[in-house]
Amino acid sequence: MARNELRPVVKLRSTAGTGFTYVTRKNRRNDPDRLELRKYDPVAGQHVAFREER
């Protein structure tokens, strides 16, 4: 199966300012805007919002 641009790889950067990132894929049809997820930041030691960076 060929990878296409419908599900691109995106980087999620912590909004806590620690510089920690997650890497995931997203569906552009379901989430055309920037993705924002609440995930655990091990540097900060708590759950914070992670935003998609381009």
Side-chain angles (χ1 to χ4, degrees):
M1 241 203 245
R3 291 194 178 171
N4 59 12
E5 287 302 312
L6 182 62
R7 292 192 68 85
V9 175
V10 296
K11 255 185 172 178
L12 301 175
R13 184 170 297 276
S14 173
T15 58
T18 59
F20 190 77
T21 60
Y22 281 101
V23 177
T24 188
R25 295 179 155 277
K26 78 168 191 174
N27 187 328
R28 285 208 184 183
R29 286 189 187 149
N30 295 340
D31 300 307
D33 302 328
R34 288 196 183 187
L35 195 61
E36 182 171 330
L37 297 173
R38 196 164 154 77
K39 295 180 75 66
Y40 184 75
D41 187 340
V43 179
Q46 59 187 356
H47 283 80
V48 296
F50 279 76
R51 286 202 185 102
E52 174 186 343
E53 69 173 23
R54 300 215 168 144

